[in-house]
Amino acid sequence: MIFSKRTGLKGTLTIPGDKSISHRSIMLGSLADGITEVHGFLNGADCISSMNCFREMGVTIDHNGDTVIIHGKGLHGLQAPKETLDVGNSGTTTRLMSGILAAQNFKSRVIGDASICRRPMKRIMTPLSLMGADIVSENGNDCAPLLITGKPLHGIHYDSPVASAQVKSCILLAGLYADGETSVTEPYVSRNHTELMFDAFGVDIKTSGTTAIVKPADKLYGQKIMIPGDISSAAYFIAAGLITPDSCITIKNVGINNTRDGILEVVKMMGGTITYDRLDQPGEPAADITVQASDLKGCVIEGSLIPKLIDEIPIIAIMACFAKGQTVIKDAQELKVKESNRIDVMVKNLSAMGADISATDDGMIIHGGKPLHGAVIDSHLDHRIAMSFAIAGLNADGDTEILGSDCVNISYPTFYQDLAGLR
């Protein structure tokens, strides 16, 4: 894809459903008794990977557009997969599903694409092993492929060294099958979609500070799930509306869960013009969000704010290039182990566009206000990198070419069409 400078991005759009909630709806719906009806399901490649893995374990799933009907098999109803479970590019599928597989009465093998086979899995292997799980890395490098032999599991308390919803959720899902209470304490609170969905499905789950506590479950009950738009996908249009001159964009039905709304806090810190119209509907909180072109200022992004916006840091870095003054992003070591090393990739690509940016061990420092120019951008097949530089390209002199641009199919297949539709 090639992008060139534009002004006056105006319009209203509805973004695809939340990726995190879509994954969890497939998993808990599969483990529930009865029917789970999902509306607003994200038809991205990652969520389809979750769907296909549970189909491989005998779950009947009807899929029609963004509506999914899951015929639950119950907590102990999954069947041994006949084939290797292929998660594609989905780290969420890999880590969360491993917590479920660790307790089954069968063996399974989990593999993904080249990116997944480089991503660290020791962070889930360690706590699952403490629970009595038999999970090993086939190549001995603490990465996929993973070989999992189901075992009886024990309840544990785990102090997680990272604030990661994937790690926390993996342990909590395993805790459904444990012989006693299981709890996870994080350095900061990570996104809480698993806890909210556990409660809806009838699981005994509670939280205290940065600790989530689950008791073993006898039964989950099928639910009707309404999935709001993904704030991580909305972030690109929020940024576009703020930094592109003469722009005003409204994004409908965006999830504003308070463990995910860090991007909104950053917009306020930077002085951006943003308004919300909260929606009165069941399920997770949502709002229509409107942004207008604004004079932004630099800020410091750190600490407990980081888990609330970890996936949005690439587009926040783009915003910082158009802000007055210095923006510092710290405590974001997790960026190194995403689909790409997002610190290195952002710094290299933005430097190629003329930005004043430097990497640190846990983030980056950006001096805003320096005009950007077009460049050839290597997305490293990372969907969030590709979408971020599409927005940068609309605000840079000359042409910006994004290599591997179709990787947006992982989370937002219609991204380029939606962006082109703004006039």
Side-chain angles (χ1 to χ4, degrees):
M1 295 291 291
I2 297 176
F3 295 86
S4 56
K5 199 165 201 175
R6 287 177 61 186
T7 59
L9 299 179
K10 296 183 179 180
T12 299
L13 70 155
T14 301
I15 55 171
D18 188 282
K19 184 165 171 275
S20 297
I21 302 173
S22 294
H23 280 298
R24 288 158 174 80
S25 69
I26 293 292
M27 296 185 190
L28 291 188
S30 296
L31 300 179
D33 283 8
I35 302 294
T36 292
E37 183 178 324
V38 183
H39 297 274
F41 182 80
L42 170 62
N43 287 304
D46 276 11
C47 297
I48 300 299
S49 291
S50 282
M51 182 184 294
N52 288 339
C53 284
F54 280 84
R55 282 174 168 164
E56 191 67 33
M57 290 185 281
V59 181
T60 299
I61 303 174
D62 304 321
H63 182 199
N64 182 17
D66 67 355
T67 299
V68 174
I69 306 296
I70 306 161
H71 302 264
K73 301 283 286 186
L75 269 175
H76 302 282
L78 297 181
Q79 300 169 10
K82 295 178 181 178
E83 306 288 341
T84 293
L85 297 170
D86 187 348
V87 302
N89 186 251
S90 179
T92 303
T93 308
T94 311
R95 295 189 176 118
L96 271 62
M97 187 173 65
S98 292
I100 296 169
L101 295 175
Q104 303 306 309
N105 61 356
F106 52 75
K107 296 181 180 180
S108 50
R109 181 174 183 264
V110 180
I111 196 168
D113 66 8
S115 170
I116 283 294
C117 291
R118 293 190 300 267
R119 295 182 69 178
M121 295 299 155
K122 188 172 183 180
R123 55 182 52 193
I124 61 161
M125 294 169 65
T126 296
L128 288 178
S129 296
L130 291 172
M131 297 178 77
D134 182 348
I135 176 171
V136 298
S137 167
E138 185 173 273
N139 296 326
N141 61 353
D142 295 329
C143 299
L146 300 177
L147 303 176
I148 304 173
T149 303
K151 299 280 187 180
L153 300 182
H154 313 297
I156 61 167
H157 173 74
Y158 187 66
D159 284 306
S160 178
V162 293
S164 165
Q166 292 183 2
V167 173
K168 174 177 64 175
S169 298
C170 170
I171 298 166
L172 295 177
L173 284 162
L176 295 176
Y177 297 91
D179 60 5
E181 186 175 272
T182 297
S183 58
V184 185
T185 298
E186 303 180 281
Y188 304 108
V189 175
S190 64
R191 60 186 66 176
N192 67 351
H193 301 301
T194 298
E195 294 94 305
L196 293 176
M197 199 172 286
F198 268 20
D199 185 64
F201 276 79
V203 175
D204 188 340
I205 178 82
K206 58 185 177 183
T207 58
S208 176
T210 65
T211 300
I213 307 147
V214 67
K215 290 187 177 178
D218 295 321
K219 183 183 288 189
L220 277 61
Y221 300 90
Q223 298 294 314
K224 183 175 182 179
I225 300 172
M226 307 298 291
I227 302 180
D230 195 320
I231 194 168
S232 296
S233 296
Y236 306 102
F237 294 98
I238 291 171
L242 292 170
I243 69 175
T244 308
D246 191 32
S247 293
C248 181
I249 301 173
T250 297
I251 311 121
K252 306 285 283 186
N253 189 30
V254 180
I256 53 170
N257 178 307
N258 64 5
T259 65
R260 290 282 302 283
D261 64 355
I263 179 73
L264 305 181
E265 295 185 40
V266 169
V267 170
K268 293 176 184 176
M269 290 162 61
M270 286 186 157
T273 301
I274 184 168
T275 57
Y276 316 92
D277 183 9
R278 291 179 180 267
L279 304 178
D280 182 13
Q281 61 187 33
E284 297 220 12
D288 297 339
I289 295 175
T290 300
V291 290
Q292 297 182 24
S294 305
D295 294 324
L296 302 181
K297 61 185 180 182
C299 64
V300 178
I301 303 165
E302 62 183 338
S304 61
L305 190 54
I306 294 297
K308 298 173 67 173
L309 48 65
I310 190 70
D311 287 336
E312 290 74 73
I313 287 178
I315 191 60
I316 289 171
I318 303 295
M319 290 166 52
C321 292
F322 294 88
K324 183 178 180 180
Q326 177 177 275
T327 295
V328 179
I329 300 169
K330 57 175 70 173
D331 302 321
Q333 301 94 328
E334 281 293 290
L335 291 176
K336 295 180 178 181
V337 293
K338 292 291 185 177
E339 284 85 339
S340 65
N341 181 330
R342 288 179 179 162
I343 294 176
D344 288 351
V345 172
M346 289 304 299
V347 169
K348 181 178 180 179
N349 283 327
L350 277 173
S351 295
M353 297 184 77
D356 184 348
I357 181 171
S358 56
T360 63
D361 286 342
D362 62 350
M364 55 193 87
I365 300 172
I366 302 159
H367 297 275
K370 191 174 179 183
L372 300 188
H373 56 75
V376 176
I377 302 299
D378 185 350
S379 71
H380 290 261
L381 301 181
D382 186 328
H383 54 132
R384 303 209 185 277
I385 299 297
M387 288 187 279
S388 295
F389 279 95
I391 304 306
L394 298 182
N395 290 276
D397 294 324
D399 290 340
T400 298
E401 180 181 359
I402 301 175
L403 306 179
S405 57
D406 60 354
C407 62
V408 302
N409 291 331
I410 289 167
S411 64
Y412 197 159
T414 61
F415 173 73
Y416 298 122
Q417 296 95 304
D418 288 353
L419 187 58
L422 295 172
R423 303 299 181 195

PDB file of all heavy atoms in Angstrom, residues 289-308:
ATOM      1  N   ILE A 289     -17.172   8.073  19.945  1.00  0.00           N
ATOM      2  CA  ILE A 289     -16.057   8.986  20.213  1.00  0.00           C
ATOM      3  C   ILE A 289     -15.856   9.899  19.012  1.00  0.00           C
ATOM      4  O   ILE A 289     -15.811   9.432  17.866  1.00  0.00           O
ATOM      5  CB  ILE A 289     -14.764   8.192  20.492  1.00  0.00           C
ATOM      6  CG1 ILE A 289     -14.913   7.374  21.781  1.00  0.00           C
ATOM      7  CG2 ILE A 289     -13.556   9.123  20.583  1.00  0.00           C
ATOM      8  CD1 ILE A 289     -13.726   6.465  22.067  1.00  0.00           C
ATOM      9  N   THR A 290     -15.737  11.199  19.265  1.00  0.00           N
ATOM     10  CA  THR A 290     -15.466  12.172  18.211  1.00  0.00           C
ATOM     11  C   THR A 290     -14.173  12.904  18.514  1.00  0.00           C
ATOM     12  O   THR A 290     -13.955  13.358  19.648  1.00  0.00           O
ATOM     13  CB  THR A 290     -16.621  13.185  18.077  1.00  0.00           C
ATOM     14  OG1 THR A 290     -17.823  12.486  17.749  1.00  0.00           O
ATOM     15  CG2 THR A 290     -16.326  14.209  16.985  1.00  0.00           C
ATOM     16  N   VAL A 291     -13.304  13.000  17.506  1.00  0.00           N
ATOM     17  CA  VAL A 291     -12.042  13.725  17.654  1.00  0.00           C
ATOM     18  C   VAL A 291     -11.941  14.778  16.555  1.00  0.00           C
ATOM     19  O   VAL A 291     -12.497  14.604  15.462  1.00  0.00           O
ATOM     20  CB  VAL A 291     -10.818  12.786  17.594  1.00  0.00           C
ATOM     21  CG1 VAL A 291     -10.743  11.912  18.818  1.00  0.00           C
ATOM     22  CG2 VAL A 291     -10.843  11.935  16.329  1.00  0.00           C
ATOM     23  N   GLN A 292     -11.214  15.853  16.872  1.00  0.00           N
ATOM     24  CA  GLN A 292     -10.978  16.923  15.908  1.00  0.00           C
ATOM     25  C   GLN A 292      -9.494  17.256  15.874  1.00  0.00           C
ATOM     26  O   GLN A 292      -8.775  17.053  16.865  1.00  0.00           O
ATOM     27  CB  GLN A 292     -11.769  18.175  16.287  1.00  0.00           C
ATOM     28  CG  GLN A 292     -13.278  17.991  16.259  1.00  0.00           C
ATOM     29  CD  GLN A 292     -14.011  19.275  16.605  1.00  0.00           C
ATOM     30  OE1 GLN A 292     -13.476  20.373  16.433  1.00  0.00           O
ATOM     31  NE2 GLN A 292     -15.230  19.148  17.098  1.00  0.00           N
ATOM     32  N   ALA A 293      -9.054  17.769  14.733  1.00  0.00           N
ATOM     33  CA  ALA A 293      -7.655  18.176  14.590  1.00  0.00           C
ATOM     34  C   ALA A 293      -7.271  19.120  15.727  1.00  0.00           C
ATOM     35  O   ALA A 293      -8.014  20.051  16.053  1.00  0.00           O
ATOM     36  CB  ALA A 293      -7.448  18.845  13.239  1.00  0.00           C
ATOM     37  N   SER A 294      -6.118  18.854  16.337  1.00  0.00           N
ATOM     38  CA  SER A 294      -5.723  19.560  17.554  1.00  0.00           C
ATOM     39  C   SER A 294      -4.229  19.845  17.549  1.00  0.00           C
ATOM     40  O   SER A 294      -3.442  19.153  16.901  1.00  0.00           O
ATOM     41  CB  SER A 294      -6.058  18.713  18.795  1.00  0.00           C
ATOM     42  OG  SER A 294      -7.413  18.337  18.841  1.00  0.00           O
ATOM     43  N   ASP A 295      -3.852  20.875  18.302  1.00  0.00           N
ATOM     44  CA  ASP A 295      -2.441  21.144  18.563  1.00  0.00           C
ATOM     45  C   ASP A 295      -2.043  20.327  19.781  1.00  0.00           C
ATOM     46  O   ASP A 295      -2.464  20.626  20.909  1.00  0.00           O
ATOM     47  CB  ASP A 295      -2.213  22.634  18.817  1.00  0.00           C
ATOM     48  CG  ASP A 295      -2.481  23.487  17.581  1.00  0.00           C
ATOM     49  OD1 ASP A 295      -2.178  23.004  16.468  1.00  0.00           O
ATOM     50  OD2 ASP A 295      -2.992  24.615  17.733  1.00  0.00           O
ATOM     51  N   LEU A 296      -1.252  19.284  19.556  1.00  0.00           N
ATOM     52  CA  LEU A 296      -0.885  18.371  20.635  1.00  0.00           C
ATOM     53  C   LEU A 296       0.410  18.815  21.293  1.00  0.00           C
ATOM     54  O   LEU A 296       1.244  19.503  20.698  1.00  0.00           O
ATOM     55  CB  LEU A 296      -0.735  16.946  20.086  1.00  0.00           C
ATOM     56  CG  LEU A 296      -1.953  16.346  19.385  1.00  0.00           C
ATOM     57  CD1 LEU A 296      -1.645  14.920  18.909  1.00  0.00           C
ATOM     58  CD2 LEU A 296      -3.192  16.361  20.287  1.00  0.00           C
ATOM     59  N   LYS A 297       0.581  18.365  22.534  1.00  0.00           N
ATOM     60  CA  LYS A 297       1.822  18.630  23.270  1.00  0.00           C
ATOM     61  C   LYS A 297       2.360  17.313  23.795  1.00  0.00           C
ATOM     62  O   LYS A 297       1.613  16.357  24.037  1.00  0.00           O
ATOM     63  CB  LYS A 297       1.562  19.605  24.417  1.00  0.00           C
ATOM     64  CG  LYS A 297       0.554  19.087  25.438  1.00  0.00           C
ATOM     65  CD  LYS A 297       0.230  20.127  26.498  1.00  0.00           C
ATOM     66  CE  LYS A 297      -0.796  19.581  27.506  1.00  0.00           C
ATOM     67  NZ  LYS A 297      -1.181  20.578  28.519  1.00  0.00           N
ATOM     68  N   GLY A 298       3.666  17.258  23.967  1.00  0.00           N
ATOM     69  CA  GLY A 298       4.317  16.043  24.451  1.00  0.00           C
ATOM     70  C   GLY A 298       3.947  15.731  25.890  1.00  0.00           C
ATOM     71  O   GLY A 298       3.457  16.586  26.634  1.00  0.00           O
ATOM     72  N   CYS A 299       4.176  14.482  26.293  1.00  0.00           N
ATOM     73  CA  CYS A 299       3.866  14.060  27.654  1.00  0.00           C
ATOM     74  C   CYS A 299       4.733  12.857  28.010  1.00  0.00           C
ATOM     75  O   CYS A 299       5.479  12.339  27.177  1.00  0.00           O
ATOM     76  CB  CYS A 299       2.385  13.723  27.805  1.00  0.00           C
ATOM     77  SG  CYS A 299       1.850  12.304  26.803  1.00  0.00           S
ATOM     78  N   VAL A 300       4.614  12.411  29.248  1.00  0.00           N
ATOM     79  CA  VAL A 300       5.324  11.218  29.731  1.00  0.00           C
ATOM     80  C   VAL A 300       4.292  10.113  29.932  1.00  0.00           C
ATOM     81  O   VAL A 300       3.271  10.313  30.600  1.00  0.00           O
ATOM     82  CB  VAL A 300       6.079  11.501  31.044  1.00  0.00           C
ATOM     83  CG1 VAL A 300       6.753  10.233  31.553  1.00  0.00           C
ATOM     84  CG2 VAL A 300       7.110  12.605  30.835  1.00  0.00           C
ATOM     85  N   ILE A 301       4.578   8.941  29.348  1.00  0.00           N
ATOM     86  CA  ILE A 301       3.672   7.798  29.421  1.00  0.00           C
ATOM     87  C   ILE A 301       4.425   6.671  30.108  1.00  0.00           C
ATOM     88  O   ILE A 301       5.437   6.182  29.587  1.00  0.00           O
ATOM     89  CB  ILE A 301       3.220   7.386  28.001  1.00  0.00           C
ATOM     90  CG1 ILE A 301       2.564   8.581  27.296  1.00  0.00           C
ATOM     91  CG2 ILE A 301       2.282   6.194  28.053  1.00  0.00           C
ATOM     92  CD1 ILE A 301       2.417   8.390  25.808  1.00  0.00           C
ATOM     93  N   GLU A 302       3.948   6.228  31.276  1.00  0.00           N
ATOM     94  CA  GLU A 302       4.731   5.296  32.088  1.00  0.00           C
ATOM     95  C   GLU A 302       3.851   4.566  33.086  1.00  0.00           C
ATOM     96  O   GLU A 302       2.654   4.824  33.223  1.00  0.00           O
ATOM     97  CB  GLU A 302       5.828   6.073  32.836  1.00  0.00           C
ATOM     98  CG  GLU A 302       5.252   7.109  33.807  1.00  0.00           C
ATOM     99  CD  GLU A 302       6.320   7.937  34.507  1.00  0.00           C
ATOM    100  OE1 GLU A 302       7.473   7.487  34.585  1.00  0.00           O
ATOM    101  OE2 GLU A 302       5.987   9.043  34.979  1.00  0.00           O
ATOM    102  N   GLY A 303       4.476   3.628  33.806  1.00  0.00           N
ATOM    103  CA  GLY A 303       3.883   2.996  34.981  1.00  0.00           C
ATOM    104  C   GLY A 303       2.591   2.268  34.711  1.00  0.00           C
ATOM    105  O   GLY A 303       2.452   1.534  33.733  1.00  0.00           O
ATOM    106  N   SER A 304       1.605   2.498  35.580  1.00  0.00           N
ATOM    107  CA  SER A 304       0.347   1.757  35.511  1.00  0.00           C
ATOM    108  C   SER A 304      -0.457   2.065  34.259  1.00  0.00           C
ATOM    109  O   SER A 304      -1.399   1.341  33.930  1.00  0.00           O
ATOM    110  CB  SER A 304      -0.505   2.057  36.750  1.00  0.00           C
ATOM    111  OG  SER A 304      -0.809   3.440  36.820  1.00  0.00           O
ATOM    112  N   LEU A 305      -0.095   3.129  33.541  1.00  0.00           N
ATOM    113  CA  LEU A 305      -0.790   3.468  32.299  1.00  0.00           C
ATOM    114  C   LEU A 305      -0.414   2.508  31.163  1.00  0.00           C
ATOM    115  O   LEU A 305      -1.218   2.264  30.256  1.00  0.00           O
ATOM    116  CB  LEU A 305      -0.454   4.911  31.905  1.00  0.00           C
ATOM    117  CG  LEU A 305      -1.256   5.563  30.773  1.00  0.00           C
ATOM    118  CD1 LEU A 305      -2.750   5.487  31.047  1.00  0.00           C
ATOM    119  CD2 LEU A 305      -0.805   7.012  30.592  1.00  0.00           C
ATOM    120  N   ILE A 306       0.783   1.942  31.215  1.00  0.00           N
ATOM    121  CA  ILE A 306       1.299   1.139  30.097  1.00  0.00           C
ATOM    122  C   ILE A 306       0.423  -0.081  29.781  1.00  0.00           C
ATOM    123  O   ILE A 306       0.080  -0.308  28.614  1.00  0.00           O
ATOM    124  CB  ILE A 306       2.761   0.723  30.358  1.00  0.00           C
ATOM    125  CG1 ILE A 306       3.670   1.968  30.358  1.00  0.00           C
ATOM    126  CG2 ILE A 306       3.236  -0.282  29.312  1.00  0.00           C
ATOM    127  CD1 ILE A 306       3.743   2.715  29.046  1.00  0.00           C
ATOM    128  N   PRO A 307       0.015  -0.911  30.768  1.00  0.00           N
ATOM    129  CA  PRO A 307      -0.830  -2.059  30.409  1.00  0.00           C
ATOM    130  C   PRO A 307      -2.171  -1.658  29.794  1.00  0.00           C
ATOM    131  O   PRO A 307      -2.790  -2.463  29.098  1.00  0.00           O
ATOM    132  CB  PRO A 307      -1.040  -2.781  31.750  1.00  0.00           C
ATOM    133  CG  PRO A 307       0.067  -2.309  32.625  1.00  0.00           C
ATOM    134  CD  PRO A 307       0.357  -0.916  32.203  1.00  0.00           C
ATOM    135  N   LYS A 308      -2.597  -0.411  30.013  1.00  0.00           N
ATOM    136  CA  LYS A 308      -3.885   0.048  29.490  1.00  0.00           C
ATOM    137  C   LYS A 308      -3.796   0.520  28.034  1.00  0.00           C
ATOM    138  O   LYS A 308      -4.813   0.855  27.434  1.00  0.00           O
ATOM    139  CB  LYS A 308      -4.425   1.192  30.364  1.00  0.00           C
ATOM    140  CG  LYS A 308      -4.686   0.783  31.809  1.00  0.00           C
ATOM    141  CD  LYS A 308      -5.060   1.969  32.678  1.00  0.00           C
ATOM    142  CE  LYS A 308      -6.399   2.559  32.297  1.00  0.00           C
ATOM    143  NZ  LYS A 308      -6.832   3.615  33.250  1.00  0.00           N
TER     144      LYS A 308
END
